[in-house]
Amino acid sequence: LEKTMSTERKSVWYSENPAPEMLAYTREVNDVAILPIGAIEQHGPHCPLGSDALNAIGIVEKAAEKSGATALAPCFYGSHPHHHWGMPGNIPLTFETHIGLLTDIVRGAAQAGFNKFIILSAHGQVSSTIVAVHKLGIEGFFTLSLHWYDFLRDNETVLEGPMWHADEAETSVALHLYPDLVDMTKAVKGGGTPIIDSKWKIAPGMQANPGQMYHFEGTFALPERDDLENGVIGDPTIASKEKGEKLVDAVVGHMDQLIQEVLEQYPPGINPLGFRNPLGYRGSDRLEYQSVK
């Protein structure tokens, strides 16, 4: 079996490969798995309800193609900050459900030989992803969590302002990845009432200044069902396919560099946290630790 098993895969998507080929690929070629996560959430009158998930899927597919990593089947449902709850169109998971979903997926995928995991989110759900990452770390899984806009930190090179919701940034990415689902004739500017002065908040993707809190570190927003007239925060009318392509290419480039550096230091089969057994720590399973140089 070992002699005839191919180390080539049919697709970058884990779910589109036969098990023997996928197992051989993770063992011999690349044991990095990327999980795209999004949400089902209204995105104004011009973008589809699945925008966050579709953005994550598009970015992850391109990153997997470029880096050789494998894309795990996407999660369309996600957790939501407090102000999203009750907004018509949104289908939020509780934090506990989402944490359990993420940790179970990583635990299961590890049995296929993956030793390095990246969770790529296109939706504001750090409340659950950070907890999931550290729960997995306790069990011995090397896991990184990236929210594409905060990973990119680009509010000036491509965009005219910070990323918010169904706005210039998200709509531009949508126009690049799935333009057939976007109706720009219905795109309108949106609002949102700040509870405290915005100078105290780090907007999504924004470079931080002294004295600022991350935008999910407090209950800074009113419930969207009571506050938003059209479901939009920001200005999608200035979005473009070209902006979206630049944003996606930049994220994919950073992800590829990250993956290549991890694999160079920790080749396939090596868990950077030093555990042989992916299901938890046992003293006899500890590998000699290879420090970061």
Side-chain angles (χ1 to χ4, degrees), residues 46-47 55 148 154-176 184 187-190 232-245 247:
H46 64 294
C47 278
N55 288 347
W148 77 259
D154 189 331
N155 286 327
E156 298 178 358
T157 305
V158 177
L159 301 172
E160 295 183 23
M163 174 185 160
W164 289 109
H165 176 69
D167 60 343
E168 175 193 12
E170 287 195 312
T171 304
S172 291
V173 172
L175 287 171
H176 171 50
M184 289 301 290
V188 290
K189 295 181 181 180
V232 176
I233 305 174
D235 186 2
T237 66
I238 58 176
S240 71
K241 178 180 179 179
E242 291 72 25
K243 291 178 181 178
E245 184 175 9
L247 292 171

Side-chain angles (χ1 to χ4, degrees), residues 73-97:
C75 297
F76 270 81
Y77 294 96
S79 68
H80 289 248
H82 80 98
H83 55 286
H84 287 190
W85 284 73
M87 184 68 167
N90 297 3
I91 306 179
L93 301 181
T94 63
F95 302 121
E96 294 78 11
T97 297

Side-chain angles (χ1 to χ4, degrees), residues 53-250:
L54 296 171
N55 288 347
I57 290 168
I59 291 171
V60 167
E61 183 172 69
K62 291 178 182 295
E65 290 172 348
K66 189 175 181 67
S67 67
T70 298
L72 298 176
C75 297
F76 270 81
Y77 294 96
S79 68
H80 289 248
H82 80 98
H83 55 286
H84 287 190
W85 284 73
M87 184 68 167
N90 297 3
I91 306 179
L93 301 181
T94 63
F95 302 121
E96 294 78 11
T97 297
H98 196 232
I99 291 166
L101 177 67
L102 298 177
T103 52
D104 281 352
I105 289 171
V106 169
R107 291 171 185 142
Q111 301 310 301
F114 294 106
N115 284 289
K116 298 96 174 172
F117 293 90
I118 297 175
I119 300 171
L120 189 284
S121 176
H123 169 69
Q125 46 198 336
V126 292
S127 300
S128 54
T129 55
I130 289 179
V131 176
V133 163
H134 289 282
K135 285 175 68 72
L136 289 165
I138 292 170
E139 298 177 20
F141 298 96
F142 174 76
T143 313
L144 305 176
S145 175
L146 316 176
H147 286 65
W148 77 259
Y149 43 86
D150 287 326
F151 185 59
L152 185 56
R153 297 288 181 195
D154 189 331
N155 286 327
E156 298 178 358
T157 305
V158 177
L159 301 172
E160 295 183 23
M163 174 185 160
W164 289 109
H165 176 69
D167 60 343
E168 175 193 12
E170 287 195 312
T171 304
S172 291
V173 172
L175 287 171
H176 171 50
L177 295 176
Y178 45 95
D180 54 317
L181 298 181
V182 182
D183 186 351
M184 289 301 290
T185 66
K186 297 180 180 179
V188 290
K189 295 181 181 180
T193 306
I195 293 178
I196 63 174
D197 195 306
S198 296
K199 69 181 181 183
W200 298 109
K201 290 191 300 179
I202 307 168
M206 177 182 175
Q207 297 287 350
N209 294 313
Q212 288 188 315
M213 292 168 280
Y214 186 52
H215 59 284
F216 288 130
E217 288 185 308
T219 53
F220 296 123
L222 294 170
E224 289 183 342
R225 65 177 183 271
D226 302 325
D227 189 41
L228 298 187
E229 183 176 345
N230 52 31
V232 176
I233 305 174
D235 186 2
T237 66
I238 58 176
S240 71
K241 178 180 179 179
E242 291 72 25
K243 291 178 181 178
E245 184 175 9
K246 289 179 181 178
L247 292 171
V248 170
D249 286 351

